[in-house]
């Protein structure tokens, strides 16, 4: 079975540009998570969807960040406008437990660099 | 009360030695305690997990020790190998209680096993 798929794997962009990160969860999984990982802040949960509905977006840093899940097999995380402090590795994860609390399967991540 | 405190931040162990990573939590409602392993350039992956009804769980060279009264749990890696070099995250959550619950991750421990 394919795992969680993320694209692109690397993104380099200039400050002020719009960035869109994409995720395809494991088929049959009904929960999807977006995380951000940095050396300073570790692994932070940004937003969590259950059955395509956002359940907890308290980790979204500010209005520049938005996430959507139009269907069970696709999600996007958008940053507009991007800033250098957004540079991080962004992970998407999914599970089928119907809760944010159980085992999560992580994708390979997207390394974002904003110059 | 939602935090999980992890130590040490980094650890160097000789091949064949025992690696020990510790975590502490405050919320007594937590009932699921997983450890995730992350290799460079990869997403975290579940390594081993424990529920609070047992004090120890062993899978191969990896053991979780759980002390409910002290609200602490630890990961022991026996006969550590260079291939175990990775970042390890502890986490905690409430499996009971519905879709709004989420995994709370520790800050991570960078383990280096020297040959």
């Amino acid at each position: 079975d394919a795992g969680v798929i993320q694209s692109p794997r690397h993104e380099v962009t200039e400050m002020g540009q719009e960035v869109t990160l994409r995720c395809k969860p494991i088929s049959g999984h009904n929960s999807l998570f977006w995380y951000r990982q940095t050396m300073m802040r570790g692994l932070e949960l940004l937003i969590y969807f259950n059955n395509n509905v956002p359940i907890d977006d308290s980790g979204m840093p500010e209005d520049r960040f938005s996430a959507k899940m139009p269907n069970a097999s696709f999600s996007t995380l958008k940053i507009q406008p991007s800033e250098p402090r957004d540079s991080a590795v962004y992970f998407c994860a999914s599970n089928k437990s119907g809760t944010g609390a159980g085992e999560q399967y992580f994708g390979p991540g997207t390394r974002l660099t904003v110059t | 009360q939602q935090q999980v405190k992890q130590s040490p931040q980094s650890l160097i162990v000789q091949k064949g030695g025992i690696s020990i990573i510790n975590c502490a939590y405050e919320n007594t409602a937590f009932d699921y305690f997983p450890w995730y392993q992350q290799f460079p350039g990869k997403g975290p992956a579940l390594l081993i997990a424990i529920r609070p009804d047992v004090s120890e769980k062993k899978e191969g060279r990896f053991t979780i020790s759980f002390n409910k009264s002290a609200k602490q749990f630890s990961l022991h890696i026996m006969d550590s190998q260079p291939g175990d070099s990775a970042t390890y995250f502890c986490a905690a959550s409430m499996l009971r209680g519905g879709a709004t619950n989420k995994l709370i991750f520790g800050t991570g421990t960078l383990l280096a096993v020297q040959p």
Side-chain angles (χ1 to χ4, degrees):
Chain A
D1 283 340
V4 174
I5 299 172
Q6 293 187 245
S7 65
R9 293 295 312 277
H10 301 273
E11 177 81 32
V12 180
T13 191
E14 293 184 347
M15 182 175 64
Q17 296 299 305
E18 177 179 295
V19 175
T20 299
L21 310 182
R22 297 172 175 79
C23 176
K24 177 179 170 56
I26 294 172
S27 177
H29 284 192
N30 58 358
S31 295
L32 183 139
F33 311 83
W34 281 102
Y35 288 89
R36 178 172 67 177
Q37 185 175 38
T38 61
M39 290 295 294
M40 291 296 295
R41 302 175 69 91
L43 197 59
E44 302 174 273
L45 177 66
L46 300 178
I47 188 169
Y48 151 42
F49 292 87
N50 189 39
N51 292 324
N52 312 337
V53 176
I55 300 298
D56 185 345
D57 65 355
S58 59
M60 295 287 265
E62 49 198 272
D63 292 345
R64 297 185 297 108
F65 286 68
S66 62
K68 294 182 180 180
M69 192 165 186
N71 57 62
S73 59
F74 184 66
S75 177
T76 59
L77 178 68
K78 186 176 293 186
I79 308 173
Q80 165 66 13
S82 58
E83 297 183 3
R85 60 192 168 120
D86 301 330
S87 297
V89 181
Y90 291 81
F91 289 103
C92 176
S94 69
N95 72 14
K96 59 181 177 180
S97 68
T99 167
E103 178 180 1
Q104 295 177 16
Y105 297 80
F106 283 76
T110 295
R111 181 173 294 277
L112 173 64
T113 303
V114 183
T115 60
Chain B
Q1 197 181 23
Q2 286 288 84
Q3 283 187 326
V4 176
K5 296 181 179 179
Q6 183 172 349
S7 64
Q9 189 173 8
S10 62
L11 181 61
I12 300 174
V13 173
Q14 296 297 314
K15 179 182 176 182
I18 302 174
S19 303
I20 301 175
I21 305 171
N22 300 299
C23 283
Y25 63 97
E26 290 294 326
N27 189 344
T28 55
F30 286 150
D31 59 1
Y32 174 66
F33 302 90
W35 286 89
Y36 280 74
Q37 180 187 54
Q38 183 182 25
F39 293 107
K42 306 290 186 182
L46 179 66
L47 180 64
I48 185 173
I50 196 168
R51 301 294 299 274
D53 52 341
V54 296
S55 60
E56 185 176 281
K57 183 173 182 180
K58 184 176 181 179
E59 290 185 2
R61 296 183 295 106
F62 300 90
T63 300
I64 299 179
S65 296
F66 183 78
N67 186 330
K68 189 174 182 178
S69 60
K71 293 184 286 186
Q72 295 176 348
F73 59 109
S74 59
L75 176 69
H76 296 237
I77 306 174
M78 311 300 287
D79 186 26
S80 299
Q81 299 296 313
D84 298 329
S85 298
T87 300
Y88 292 82
F89 294 93
C90 63
S93 69
M94 289 181 282
L95 289 182
R96 301 173 277 109
T100 57
N101 294 329
K102 57 191 178 185
L103 274 176
I104 307 298
F105 282 92
T107 50
T109 296
L110 180 61
L111 171 65
V113 181
Q114 295 185 334

